[in-house]
Amino acid sequence: MFDIPRLPVMGRNSGDYSVGHGVPELVLELNGQTWTLDPSRTYTLGRDPQGDIVLDDARVSWRHATISWSGRSWAIEDHGSTNGTFVAGQRIHQLEIGPGSAVHLGNATDGPRVSLSGSAASAAPQPQQQQPYAAQGANPGWAQQAPPQHQAPQADWQQPQQAAHNIPQQQGPGVGAGAPPVYGDRSPTTFHQFAIGRVMRIGRALENELVVSDLQVSRHHAEFHSTPDGRMEIRDLGSHNGTYVNGQPIAKGGSQLLGPADIVGVGHSTFRIVGDRLEEFVDTGEVSFSARHLTVTVDGGKQILKDVSFGVPEKSLIAVIGPSGSGKSTLLKALTGYRPANQGDVLYDNRNLYKQFAELRQRIGLVPQDDILHKELTVKKALKYAAKLRFPADTTAQEREARIDEVLRELKLDIHKEKKVTSLSGGQRKRVSVALELLTKPSLIFLDEPTSGLDPGMDRDVMQLLRGLADDGRTVLVVTHSVAELAICDKLLVMAPGGAVAYFGPPEEALNFFGYDSWADVFSAFENYRDYDWAGRWKGSQHYQMYAADIDAIAPQSVQMPPMQAMRPPKPQGWMSQFGTLVRRYASVIVSDKGFLALSIILPLVLGSVSLLIDSGKDLLVNTEINPNTGQPVANGTALTVLLILAVGACFAGAANSVRELIKERVIYERERATGLSRSAYLMSKVFVLGLITMVQGLMVGIIGFSSRTIPDEGLILGSQILLELCIPIMALGFTAMMFGLIISALVKTAEKTMPLLVMFAIVQVVFTGCLFPLANSVGVNELSYLMPSRWAVAAAGATLDFNKISPPAKGDSNDPLWEHTVGAWGMDMVALIVLGVVCGFFVARFLRRHEPEVMRK
């Protein structure tokens, strides 16, 4: 469970500092090893491989605590660790210690225990050199690599002070040949004894009977109830990330009776009832992962992924390479659940990912090719908003800050935390994307082309980062085109054209397997012999027998699973909390983008000012010119032209504000949606912020266009506030045009396609305003105009100005009913404009659904 410490042995006969001179001797004991501490230096405890005492436990922070001689006593100091340092069950920040003290790291009950005494230390063993994975045996297949057996405590939940390593593991009822463990051959991390009729509460808070030090877990998450008849029940306590039975969420605040084979999931911990006790399995990242016979078929029956199978052990780095058209992206989507395979299974520690996606999604990190963060924000602020969205609502700002700082230190980004993401190099930006995923401590991390566009030096740095993540206790799979750094990977998966496996095994044996000297030759062979049976060659090889033939040797969990259904997992944050966070984040992005801010102010000023060039001396009320031939007033073309310019300006400004917003954040939305983001909260945050900006712009356009002209003294609705009454349709038009812009942004596949559609939208609005030619008497065209927001906005302003009088129809034509100078006509025009905006919102929500993991919408 623990790495062998790097701390050298120091004692009376070691030749180093001699303990004495009034300094009490202090001996540290951890996991059966002992060291005599040197009072002249400070010792760092944590997961940092460069620290003095390295603990490989997910509950321990990167730089967790230090022990040092203060001048008058020994002291331990916690350095803002996520899960805390505990002495006698109490969380401490700094405390004097001495012989007889016992310190728990990460958990007050069963966290790693550091014992302190005054006896002489024994020599510390030398660190063991781990062999490369390929050299661990003649047949290093993944199925033969059993996870390490850990000694687990039989720690009664009523006696949390007992240390895990002091209590031998005992077999209880149901443990043994008749009860297969949850995770392959892995033993339970902890045992908890039940008492009949008692309740065992699970949560992050220290007052729970079973404390789970995991920020994915609510402070009071769930309860196990032992009924008088001996049956067990799990009750959710309104948890934010949900309580799961066999991978399926139970209702928030609901309960479910448990059978002997049922598995309960809470955060990164899994529980199973065995007799009268509870077995706990803590997922610390050491998990196996396998794909079995994955086949993906698209419309028309074409297979783009064909019978792909491979498996990897824990702490592995796997690279996936292959030519274009080999199905690498499809494979990545199948492995992460974004687009489940039509046939086959993906097993996460022998648990079916597709059927248990609601629970397991929190344990999987995905870094797409494009950055999954807002580049206008600083590194620290971007991670702050991500943590706010992903962690439960009851996590404190201090807890989130501590986790962010821990991840930044782990990835050596702490010196860049106040820099904008745009100012970072390509490799550093990729580190920030990885940091975002590490916030929730995933056990599996998938990366899509992380080195794309990077120079060879950055390519090496990113791959070495991934190597470090795997060595730190995670399984990392990276899809890449770069072949320069494949040697640092544990396994290499080569995809052939058509989506079949051409090779899987150690990277150093791959070129020899293909019989070529370089990867360029291999890829040329793929291109020149596309019809060759590469998969058949692979399955008939000795390498296949060594590395993949036993993929079906271990059966997946044999628990009763419901059929595939739409996943509606609980969300870590409530709707209003998500909405508020998204609004603040979006506002921060806009404020940080000086160019957008300037354009948002300049655009309405220019559009409104253009209307001042049109017959600036004429009013908008009537035209006193009389036709000498007919004796009738001449139509006031100025009013129609001015209103046309203002309407088109509002349409263009509104749509321009939003036409790129969804497409530029599509990758971010896809990832956040998979981690529990509410679709409606995301959409409403856009509508709220952009709507506010657009309506202010519409007000500016209206004031500039109308205030310099003579207008009636009284309006239909607002009386003397007729200027505001005329501006309201322009503001509403800008808002509805903004909603149309969101539809365009949700539909297109690339940002380049938005501009032609924006121009087309603006031109169509010009035609259907009713200002260029009468629409009321044009059958078909008039009905089509009802779908255009400019038609209703111009009609509402026309009703206020009485356009049927200012610009009477031609002889023989009837008045436009939408321009009637009545309250009813004005109200109908405005309601129709608002309804158009609501309908647009509905369609945007439907289109956004297409950009979600498919397993969530089946």
Side-chain angles (χ1 to χ4, degrees), residues 445-494:
I445 302 178
F446 296 88
L447 300 99
D448 188 11
E449 300 287 357
T451 61
S452 177
L454 302 183
D455 60 51
M458 290 184 178
D459 180 357
R460 180 182 58 193
D461 290 344
V462 170
M463 291 301 292
Q464 288 178 345
L465 165 68
L466 303 184
R467 176 72 264 172
L469 294 178
D471 293 338
D472 198 35
R474 306 174 182 93
T475 299
V476 182
L477 186 145
V478 53
V479 174
T480 180
H481 280 298
S482 175
V483 296
E485 302 297 330
L486 296 180
I488 69 173
C489 299
D490 297 298
K491 287 293 194 299
L492 175 64
L493 176 66
V494 182

Side-chain angles (χ1 to χ4, degrees), residues 782-793:
N782 186 42
E783 286 71 23
L784 183 60
S785 72
Y786 293 161
L787 300 176
M788 308 299 165
S790 61
R791 170 73 159 122
W792 299 102

Side-chain angles (χ1 to χ4, degrees), residues 198-311:
R198 296 294 299 274
V199 174
M200 183 185 295
R201 177 173 292 183
I202 306 172
R204 203 173 72 250
L206 295 179
E207 60 265 23
N208 293 286
E209 288 82 8
L210 203 163
V211 178
V212 179
S213 300
D214 181 357
L215 289 183
Q216 296 287 79
V217 177
S218 299
R219 294 185 61 81
H220 300 95
H221 196 103
E223 289 179 342
F224 280 103
H225 285 251
S226 176
T227 60
D229 60 0
R231 304 184 68 184
M232 297 303 303
E233 180 183 54
I234 182 67
R235 296 181 184 176
D236 183 82
L237 299 179
S239 63
H240 299 281
N241 275 330
T243 304
Y244 300 83
V245 177
N246 299 329
Q248 303 301 309
I250 64 177
K252 192 169 186 176
S255 62
Q256 183 171 331
L257 288 172
L258 300 175
D262 289 336
I263 298 168
V264 177
V266 174
H268 286 78
S269 296
T270 307
F271 302 89
R272 187 183 65 172
I273 305 295
V274 178
D276 60 349
R277 67 181 181 183
L278 183 69
E279 293 183 349
E280 178 182 4
F281 299 80
V282 179
D283 183 352
T284 58
E286 299 178 349
V287 299
S288 63
F289 182 76
S290 62
R292 299 189 181 186
H293 311 295
L294 300 182
T295 299
V296 174
T297 305
V298 296
D299 296 338
K302 179 182 179 181
Q303 288 187 342
I304 54 179
L305 211 61
K306 298 179 182 178
D307 194 28
V308 175
S309 296
F310 65 94

